[in-house]
């Protein structure tokens, strides 16, 4: 049985993050086909990277997880350095020396991880690095590039234009993209379509029993939209709060906004905005199932598992139309709406209030979209085939 390693900056059932959750889903699904390990840090909080987990190894849902200490917390001056560097990036075209400092300041820096991957690369058939933006990927992938698959989770944002990525995105043996939009972005920026690639998303796990009515009763809710994920500025949450508050003032609608996830930005004190914090998987799905729509205001998404989860439950989505991936989900499925400004946001919410039959039809379309494109059996078969392909190439290189 081949031995594969997923690499991600954080990992665990407590971790609330897109690429991290995706990594766990894929690792667990492939565990019956391969000897799967995860290489990660001991950090839980992505803002500080403070060491949280105590054990070097643990088994989570049948997957061996190896944790490495972070050398230091995120630099106190990272935000200032980031703002200064981004302000000159467009003018200068980037500076690899300054970008190296950027990655070290952002973190998570782990010399233990780097030592392990250098000393143990021969023990693994394939390394799968998930997300392009962090230290473990940027510093670790070049050490094992001949047997590395990169899942960039890339989207249009300033960081993808760092100068160092011009060479970096030529290093992997293969790419797995989550959407066609991501593939087109990466190929367009780095002219690397000659490197082996495939496009596949993720399947969606839904509990066998879902009870939205008990969720509504428990929290005193009737009509509401729901946001699921990290509650921070990077996800455009403050703008969502402003839009929703303005909508309430202008329309008098009794709609509520429910938030699920760890808050790392201020949430307005309002009886119409209900923040539940980090919740169980069952509570999450019960809450999504009872919502009018799932809302995602982020401009930067490479897939969005929360959108797929909502669609799998027949719940339409309302997304930021400035994100090509999210807009693409809506257009391809006819299972959601997108907005570009406040008045379009208001128009979308007003439309679903006045047209409940259309809301139900969008929900049916969304569910059908997931069934056709995000079935686990199809995705795991394709993922396995790509691993085998990459592993074969690595073996051929070693023989030569």
């Amino acid at each position: 049985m081949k031995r594969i390693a997923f690499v991600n900056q954080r990992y665990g059932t407590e971790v609330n993050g897109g690429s991290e959750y995706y990594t766990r889903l894929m690792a667990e699904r492939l565990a019956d086909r391969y000897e799967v390990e995860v290489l990660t840090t001991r950090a839980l909080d992505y803002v500080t990277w403070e060491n949280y987990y105590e054990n070097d190894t643990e088994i989570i849902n049948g997957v061996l997880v190896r944790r490495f200490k972070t050398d230091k917390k995120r630099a106190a001056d990272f935000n200032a350095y980031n703002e200064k560097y981004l302000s000159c990036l467009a003018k200068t075209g980037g500076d690899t020396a300054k970008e190296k400092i950027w990655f070290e300041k952002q973190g998570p820096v782990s010399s233990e991880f780097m030592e392990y991957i250098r000393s143990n690369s021969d023990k693994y058939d394939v390394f799968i690095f998930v997300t392009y933006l962090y230290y473990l990927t940027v510093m670790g992938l070049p050490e094992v590039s001949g047997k590395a698959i990169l899942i960039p989770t890339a989207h249009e944002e300033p960081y993808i234009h760092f100068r160092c990525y011009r060479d970096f995105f030529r290093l992997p043996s293969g790419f797995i993209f989550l959407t066609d939009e991501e593939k087109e972005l990466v190929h367009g920026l780095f002219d690397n379509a000659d490197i082996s690639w495939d496009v596949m998303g993720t399947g969606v796990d839904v509990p066998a029993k879902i009870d939205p009515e008990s969720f509504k009763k428990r929290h005193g809710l009737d009509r509401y939209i729901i946001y699921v994920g990290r509650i921070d500025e990077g996800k455009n949450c403050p703008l969502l709060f402003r839009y929703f508050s303005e909508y309430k003032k202008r329309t008098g609608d009794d709609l509520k906004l429910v938030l699920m996830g760890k808050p790392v930005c201020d949430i307005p004190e309002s009886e119409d905005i209900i923040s539940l914090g980090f919740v169980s998987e069952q509570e999450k799905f019960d809450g999504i199932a009872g919502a009018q729509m799932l809302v995602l205001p982020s401009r930067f998404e490479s897939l969005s598992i929360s959108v797929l989860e909502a669609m799998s439950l027949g719940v339409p989505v309302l997304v930021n139309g400035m994100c090509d991936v999210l807009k693409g989900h809506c257009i391809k499925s006819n299972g959601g709406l997108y907005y570009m400004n406040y008045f379009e946001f208001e128009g979308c919410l007003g439309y679903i209030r006045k047209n409940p039959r259309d809301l139900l039809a969008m929900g049916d379309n969304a569910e059908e979209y997931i069934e056709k494109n995000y079935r686990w059996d199809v995705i795991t078969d394709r993922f396995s085939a790509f691993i085998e392909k990459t592993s074969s190439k690595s073996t051929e290189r070693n023989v030569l």
Side-chain angles (χ1 to χ4, degrees):
M1 183 178 286
K2 286 185 172 63
R3 190 179 186 188
I4 65 174
F6 281 88
V7 180
N8 196 295
Q9 62 276 358
R10 299 186 301 157
Y11 191 92
T13 55
E14 311 88 348
V15 174
N16 182 28
S19 77
E20 296 92 336
Y21 183 50
Y22 167 84
T23 301
R24 183 161 65 85
L25 288 177
M26 292 310 309
E28 291 174 3
R29 284 284 172 169
L30 292 170
D32 61 347
R33 303 186 183 207
Y34 300 97
E35 186 179 344
V36 178
E37 295 185 10
V38 173
L39 310 182
T40 188
T41 69
R42 293 191 180 187
L44 174 61
D45 189 335
Y46 77 99
V47 175
T48 66
W49 302 122
E50 185 174 4
N51 289 303
Y52 171 84
Y53 298 97
E54 296 182 355
N55 296 328
D56 293 333
T57 62
E58 65 174 310
I59 303 293
I60 299 178
N61 296 334
V63 175
L64 174 62
V65 181
R66 297 187 185 275
R67 299 191 185 279
F68 303 93
K69 289 181 181 178
T70 57
D71 295 354
K72 54 190 177 182
K73 295 181 181 180
R74 176 174 288 184
D77 66 342
F78 169 70
N79 289 339
Y81 187 89
N82 176 58
E83 184 176 351
K84 183 178 179 180
Y85 183 67
L86 292 184
S87 68
C88 67
L89 177 63
K91 301 175 184 177
T92 64
D95 181 317
T96 54
K98 291 180 179 178
E99 287 162 6
K100 186 174 186 295
I101 296 172
W102 188 94
F103 286 112
E104 290 176 348
K105 285 182 177 293
Q106 181 197 218
V109 176
S110 175
S111 54
E112 275 191 1
F113 166 80
M114 293 302 298
E115 181 180 348
Y116 180 85
I117 204 170
R118 288 172 182 143
S119 303
N120 295 275
S121 61
D122 291 341
K123 295 181 180 180
Y124 300 89
D125 295 286
V126 173
F127 290 85
I128 303 168
F129 292 82
V130 185
T131 203
Y132 80 99
L133 190 58
Y134 292 97
Y135 183 94
L136 299 194
T137 296
V138 172
M139 301 301 174
L141 188 147
E143 300 289 338
V144 293
S145 59
K147 55 174 70 174
I149 294 171
L150 175 61
I151 304 176
T153 69
H155 41 261
E156 181 53 66
E157 61 180 345
Y159 313 112
I160 196 71
H161 299 284
F162 278 10
R163 179 178 287 273
C164 67
Y165 285 130
R166 298 177 190 178
D167 293 328
F168 179 83
F169 272 81
R170 299 289 313 175
L171 294 178
S173 291
F175 288 89
I176 291 178
F177 301 111
L178 302 181
T179 62
D180 291 323
E181 291 85 357
E182 181 190 9
K183 177 205 63 168
E184 291 166 6
L185 172 66
V186 170
H187 285 172
L189 287 174
F190 304 109
D191 192 26
N192 57 357
D194 57 310
I195 299 175
S196 179
W197 59 270
D198 199 352
V199 178
M200 64 188 89
T202 178
V204 181
D205 289 316
V206 177
K209 184 179 179 181
I210 298 174
D211 191 352
E213 294 307 317
S214 67
F215 175 87
K216 290 181 178 181
K217 184 177 181 180
R218 202 157 48 245
H219 298 288
L221 293 166
D222 182 18
R223 294 178 61 254
Y224 64 94
I225 58 174
I226 191 166
Y227 170 86
V228 177
R230 293 196 306 269
I231 304 170
D232 66 10
E233 292 184 6
K235 294 293 185 180
N236 227 13
C237 290
L239 185 61
L240 171 63
F241 302 151
R242 291 199 295 273
Y243 277 14
F244 186 75
S245 297
E246 184 66 16
Y247 173 78
K248 293 288 294 185
K249 290 178 184 177
R250 287 171 55 88
T251 66
D253 190 352
D254 62 355
L255 191 71
K256 306 288 186 183
L257 171 61
V258 173
L259 310 174
M260 290 182 173
K262 180 180 179 181
V264 290
C265 71
D266 292 336
I267 299 172
E269 291 187 10
S270 169
E271 62 180 14
D272 296 316
I273 300 177
I274 297 97
S275 179
L276 301 181
F278 191 82
V279 302
S280 69
E281 285 292 288
Q282 185 66 54
E283 181 85 344
K284 178 183 75 173
F285 281 104
D286 288 347
I288 294 174
Q292 297 278 290
M293 303 186 91
L294 179 134
V295 59
L296 184 52
S298 174
R299 290 183 58 186
F300 307 119
E301 295 293 327
S302 57
L303 178 66
S304 180
I305 293 174
S306 65
V307 162
L308 302 185
E309 289 174 337
M311 286 182 151
S312 73
L313 296 172
V315 175
V317 298
L318 175 61
V319 303
N320 191 330
M322 298 181 74
C323 176
D324 289 339
V325 168
L326 298 180
K327 182 178 177 181
H329 283 316
C330 293
I331 293 173
K332 286 180 280 191
S333 68
N334 198 21
L337 302 173
Y338 58 89
Y339 60 90
M340 305 291 284
N341 53 49
Y342 168 74
F343 289 104
E344 291 185 3
F345 177 85
E346 179 182 305
C348 289
L349 292 183
Y351 180 82
I352 66 168
R353 181 182 61 189
K354 297 174 184 176
N355 299 277
R357 289 186 179 179
D358 287 356
L359 186 67
L360 291 174
M362 280 193 290
D364 291 340
N365 293 339
E367 196 168 357
E368 183 179 354
Y369 175 68
I370 297 300
E371 178 62 23
K372 287 183 177 179
N373 296 282
Y374 296 98
R375 284 174 44 200
W376 266 122
D377 57 345
V378 175
I379 289 168
T380 51
D381 284 347
R382 289 177 60 188
F383 205 114
S384 297
F386 200 82
I387 288 173
E388 296 300 324
K389 182 179 179 181
T390 304
S391 177
S392 297
K393 287 182 180 179
S394 174
T395 302
E396 290 173 6
R397 279 191 291 269
N398 291 336
V399 169
L400 295 174

